[in-house]
Amino acid sequence: MALPGSLNRYLLLMAQEHLEFRLPEIQSLLSLFGGQFTNNQGTYGKSPFWILTIPSEDIARNLMKRTVCAKSIFELWGHGKSSEELYNSLRNYPVEKMVPFLHSDSTYKIQIHTFNKTLTQEEKVKRIDALEFLPFEGKVNLKKPQHIFSVLEDYGLDPNCIPENPHNIYFGRWIADGQRELIESYSVKKRHYIGNTSMDAGLSFIMANHGKVKKNDIVFDPFVGTGGLLIASAHFGAYVYGTDIDYNTVHGLGKASRKNQKWRGPDENIRANLRQYGLEKYYLDVLVSDASKPSWKKGTYFDAIITDPPYGIRESTRRTGSQKEIQKGIEKCPESHVPVSLNYHLSDMFFDLLNFAAETLTLGGRLVYWLPIYTPEYTEEMVPWHPCLKLISNCEQKLSSHTARRLITMEKVKKFENQDQYSHLLSDQFLPYQGHNSFREKYFSGITKRTAKEEKSSQE
Amino acid sequence: MKLLTHNLLSSHVRGVGPRGFPLRLQATEVRVIPVEFNPDFVARMIPKVEWAALLEAADHLRLVEVPKEPIQGYEQDETFLRKMHHVLLEVEVVEGTLQCPESGRVFPITRGIPNMLLNEEETET
C-alpha cells in the first residue's frame, strides 16, 4: 500500500527473459545516471513488476533509454492486493501531484493491462469506469493522448493456475518504454558479418549496460570475433577497439558461418558491421593479437572491457607458442601469420584477463565477461578474483543440463601496482577453477553418457 | 590503423619493456577518411596522448598542421581540437609496418589491421 507522502515511486514492467540479468542491469544503469537502487519490495525474483524509488523523472527516462530488460516505466500512483486497496491507495496519493496531468486542457486515455489472464472488453470498461473518482478533467483521446494512464493487473506467473482475482493491481502514469526493439533491429539474423559464436543481440546490450558504457568511452574487446559486443557499446556512444588471435576473423576472410554461404564477402568484417548500423564513426581499430600477450602501452585508457572469451568448444582456446611446442595437425598460417598452438588453459586465460583489466581500466571502469562453468562442480569461490577488482554481479545462463556460463561484472576500485605482488595470492584462488580446464571434455561427456544410455535402453 | 591507436601500442618482445614504445611507423599506403567531429571525445583523448610519439609518427606520414603540444584551454579551442581530431582519427595507415625500436622486430599492417602476433621465444614471460 502506498504510504502517505511517499515520493517518486515508479513501477517497472520487466520483460520475462534473462531473469537473473535484470537486476544488475537496472542497478548499473541507475548508478550510471546518478540514481541509487533502493529496494522497495523485498525481493524481485521472477516477478515482472518492480516498484522502486528514483530521485527524478529525468533519471527514470535516462534509464529507459538504455534498458533492454524493462519494457516500460510508470509513475506509480497507487497499488494494492485488491481493487479496494488500490482505490484507497489512490485516494492517498497527493492530489497536487495528479493535477498537472489531469487538467481540462489536456488529453488522456486509460489502458488496462492484465498479465496471465484475458479480460473481455466489458470487464475492461468496468474497471475504467471504477476510476471515475479520480479528478480527471481533461478530454479522452484514444489516438494521440498527451498522457497515458495504465492499470496493471498481476494474475501470477502460472498459466495453468489463473486466479479469479489478481494478486496485485497497480495504477500509474506511463512515462517511457525501454529499448527492447533494439533486440530485433540488431538481430544477428540480419547482421552482415557473423561467426559461429556471435552473441545474441539482447545479451550484448545487457553486457554493455552491466559495463556502464557511456558516450565518449573507449571500450575494448580482447576476444572480438566478429565484433558483436562492440556494436552494442558503439550504439551507446562509445568508441571501440577489438583484438583477436584469429587473422581470418579479424580481416573478414575465410569460410562463412551462414548456412548456404561458402565464403565471406567483401562486406563481411568488423568495420562493415558497424557501418551497417551507422556506427562506423565509433570504430577505432581492430588488431590481430594474442590476448595473453597484449601490445598495449602502460597506462589506463579503457573505460570498459567487455568480452566473451572462447570456452574451447565451438572456437578453440589458443595462444601463440614456440616451434617446438607445435603439435602435428595444427594449421600453419601463411606469411605474416604466426604458427598458433597450445591449449590456453581456461584458468590462465581468466588470470590474464583480470590482470589486464586491473592494469588498463580507468578507476571505476568495468570488466564484463562470460565464465563457463561445469554445474556439478561449480562453487562461488571459483569465480576469478583480483585485489583491484570488485565483484559487482554474477548471472547464470544455462547452456545444457550440466553446463552453464556466468556473466561476471567487476569494477576497478584500486590502482594497479606491482603485478608480482598479486600473482602468488591469485594462484591459490584459481586452483578451484582448474577443474574447468577440461571444460570441453566435461561439456561433451554429458552428451556421450546420454547417448550411451539411450542406445542401451533402445536395445533392451 | 589510426594514429590514436599507434600512440597506445607498444612492443611486447621479450626483454624490451618500456623501451618498446613507441613503435616506429612506416607506411606505403595511407588514406584519409572523414570521421564526424566530436569535440568532447577528442578533448578526453588529449591527456592520454604521448606527444613525442605522435609527432614522430605524424612526421613519418608527412602530415602537416600537427599541433606541437596541447595548448592552454584546449577543451574550448575548436581549431586545436579539429586539428587533433584529424590527426588522431582521420588518417589511416592501410599498408605499412610497425617496428620495435629496441629489437628491430617488424609487425606488418595489412588492410589497415596491424598483426602483433609473436612466437613464444619473442615474448615476455
Side-chain angles (χ1 to χ4, degrees):
Chain A
M1 234 170 38
L3 297 165
S6 63
L7 304 163
N8 299 331
R9 293 209 312 162
Y10 293 84
L11 177 73
L12 268 175
L13 177 61
M14 305 300 288
Q16 293 296 84
E17 70 170 352
H18 303 311
L19 300 185
E20 274 189 46
F21 297 74
R22 303 181 304 179
L23 188 56
E25 196 220 29
I26 301 297
Q27 285 171 319
S28 298
L29 291 176
L30 280 176
S31 102
L32 181 59
F33 295 118
Q36 240 204 33
F37 188 84
T38 35
N39 190 325
N40 269 110
Q41 63 185 57
T43 147
Y44 292 92
K46 297 198 158 86
S47 168
F49 299 101
W50 292 13
I51 297 179
L52 53 155
T53 307
I54 300 177
S56 73
E57 189 168 312
D58 272 345
I59 293 179
R61 287 183 186 278
N62 284 332
L63 167 67
M64 298 316 280
K65 287 196 188 122
R66 287 287 297 253
T67 176
V68 291
C69 291
K71 288 181 174 170
S72 313
I73 198 167
F74 306 86
E75 180 183 58
L76 189 65
W77 286 17
H79 74 108
K81 294 194 175 309
S82 66
S83 344
E84 281 316 306
E85 280 190 19
L86 171 66
Y87 302 147
N88 282 334
S89 165
L90 283 169
R91 289 191 187 96
N92 282 328
Y93 189 74
V95 169
E96 62 271 16
K97 293 187 79 186
M98 290 191 191
V99 158
F101 309 103
L102 304 177
H103 69 76
S104 48
D105 289 339
S106 64
T107 58
Y108 74 97
K109 78 169 173 176
I110 302 180
Q111 299 184 140
I112 314 281
H113 300 288
T114 53
F115 296 85
N116 201 30
K117 187 168 194 159
T118 321
L119 295 181
T120 62
Q121 193 58 21
E122 203 189 308
E123 287 171 312
K124 288 189 181 184
V125 168
K126 262 218 276 206
R127 282 153 168 78
I128 296 177
D129 288 343
L131 294 167
E132 265 171 356
F133 68 94
L134 290 173
F136 287 102
E137 284 178 32
K139 279 173 59 168
V140 173
N141 181 331
L142 295 178
K143 283 225 170 95
K144 265 191 156 180
Q146 281 170 294
H147 305 294
I148 300 176
F149 299 95
S150 297
V151 176
L152 300 109
E153 296 190 354
D154 173 16
Y155 289 88
L157 296 167
D158 186 353
N160 297 319
C161 179
I162 303 174
E164 178 66 34
N165 293 312
H167 298 310
N168 293 290
I169 318 180
Y170 308 88
F171 179 90
R173 175 174 66 91
W174 176 82
I175 303 218
D177 286 338
Q179 300 303 309
R180 289 190 61 74
E181 65 200 9
L182 293 179
I183 299 171
E184 182 54 39
S185 43
Y186 280 88
S187 162
V188 170
K189 288 185 267 208
K190 303 183 213 165
R191 198 168 302 158
H192 291 158
Y193 183 43
I194 59 167
N196 292 340
T197 53
S198 288
M199 182 71 54
D200 152 78
L203 283 172
S204 66
F205 284 106
I206 287 174
M207 289 174 80
N209 283 334
H210 281 207
K212 286 175 74 167
V213 170
K214 56 193 182 300
K215 260 182 67 142
N216 302 329
D217 272 358
I218 294 189
V219 174
F220 174 54
D221 182 352
F223 301 96
V224 72
T226 55
L229 297 182
L230 299 185
I231 294 174
S233 291
H235 176 83
F236 292 138
Y239 290 76
V240 296
Y241 274 119
T243 63
D244 203 288
I245 202 172
D246 188 288
Y247 184 94
N248 284 343
T249 311
V250 179
H251 280 266
L253 305 168
K255 291 225 168 106
S257 285
R258 280 214 155 79
K259 196 176 149 184
N260 299 330
Q261 187 183 339
K262 197 148 179 239
W263 297 101
R264 289 173 167 151
D267 198 27
E268 292 186 60
N269 55 60
I270 296 165
R271 191 171 197 155
N273 266 347
L274 287 168
R275 190 181 305 134
Q276 177 184 358
Y277 302 110
L279 300 171
E280 195 176 351
K281 64 182 172 184
Y282 297 111
Y283 174 91
L284 289 175
D285 268 304
V286 294
L287 298 87
V288 182
S289 169
D290 180 344
S292 72
K293 295 164 180 117
S295 316
W296 303 95
K297 74 178 181 192
K298 285 250 173 292
T300 60
Y301 33 77
F302 293 133
D303 298 289
I305 295 172
I306 302 182
T307 190
D308 182 21
Y311 318 150
I313 299 168
R314 284 180 289 168
E315 306 280 16
S316 57
T317 53
R318 296 178 288 170
R319 58 186 173 100
T320 48
S322 67
Q323 290 287 347
K324 38 185 179 351
E325 287 163 302
I326 291 173
Q327 291 132 25
K328 61 176 170 25
I330 299 292
E331 68 207 72
K332 196 164 187 221
C333 317
E335 356 154 289
S336 50
H337 315 183
V338 181
V340 292
S341 73
L342 290 193
N343 290 322
Y344 193 5
H345 288 305
L346 283 176
S347 50
D348 289 340
M349 182 170 72
F350 294 116
F351 173 91
D352 287 341
L353 180 62
L354 264 66
N355 246 349
F356 177 79
E359 273 203 68
T360 57
L361 278 174
T362 53
L363 208 57
R366 289 196 168 184
L367 165 66
V368 183
Y369 72 95
W370 287 100
L371 181 73
I373 58 151
Y374 180 62
T375 318
E377 288 176 12
Y378 169 75
T379 62
E380 264 189 59
E381 284 74 40
M382 288 185 179
V383 175
W385 171 92
H386 193 288
C388 297
L389 305 172
K390 174 180 162 193
L391 181 67
I392 301 290
S393 64
N394 173 354
C395 310
E396 183 173 289
Q397 184 191 37
K398 219 169 139 166
L399 295 175
S400 73
S401 58
H402 55 290
T403 60
R405 60 181 179 177
R406 288 181 162 266
L407 187 65
I408 309 293
T409 300
M410 307 186 89
E411 186 170 300
K412 178 168 172 179
V413 294
K414 182 172 129 42
K415 211 174 116 172
F416 185 87
E417 273 142 55
N418 188 345
Q419 183 182 357
D420 298 8
Q421 192 178 344
Y422 304 118
S423 48
H424 89 274
L425 290 171
L426 287 168
S427 58
D428 287 346
Q429 297 290 334
F430 284 92
L431 280 176
Y433 194 75
Q434 294 283 7
H436 285 68
N437 285 335
S438 50
F439 184 70
R440 192 171 193 276
E441 284 96 69
K442 293 187 164 139
Y443 182 87
F444 288 114
S445 73
I447 295 169
T448 45
K449 272 192 202 140
R450 200 174 61 230
T451 40
K453 252 170 106 176
E454 282 163 5
E455 278 174 340
K456 201 167 170 228
S457 58
S458 68
Q459 281 163 15
E460 280 156 14
Chain B
M1 187 201 67
K2 299 180 198 243
L3 287 185
L4 174 64
T5 311
H6 167 263
N7 207 266
L8 297 176
L9 292 177
S10 179
S11 166
H12 54 297
V13 170
R14 179 175 291 172
V16 143
R19 294 179 310 282
F21 178 88
L23 294 160
R24 210 154 283 147
L25 175 64
Q26 296 279 28
T28 51
E29 188 185 332
V30 174
R31 65 174 183 167
V32 173
I33 43 121
V35 175
E36 188 180 307
F37 175 57
N38 178 350
D40 294 331
F41 178 71
V42 182
R44 264 199 99 211
M45 293 302 109
I46 302 300
K48 303 182 207 263
V49 170
E50 296 262 2
W51 229 267
L54 178 67
L55 293 178
E56 193 188 312
D59 193 53
H60 284 190
L61 298 185
R62 289 194 273 279
L63 298 182
V64 296
E65 293 250 32
V66 182
K68 295 277 177 275
E69 61 191 352
I71 60 177
Q72 272 276 10
Y74 66 81
E75 294 96 330
Q76 277 76 44
D77 190 326
E78 191 181 314
T79 316
F80 172 82
L81 290 175
R82 279 193 180 271
K83 285 187 185 162
M84 292 309 298
H85 166 80
H86 177 75
V87 169
L88 291 172
L89 301 176
E90 292 188 325
V91 178
E92 293 193 4
V93 175
V94 180
E95 302 286 326
T97 57
L98 295 162
Q99 186 176 38
C100 173
E102 180 80 358
S103 70
R105 215 297 192 170
V106 169
F107 302 95
I109 303 173
T110 325
R111 277 183 290 259
I113 298 173
N115 183 343
M116 308 304 292
L117 295 180
L118 290 171
N119 284 317
E120 178 82 12
E121 290 100 2
E122 295 175 286
T123 61
E124 309 261 22
T125 31

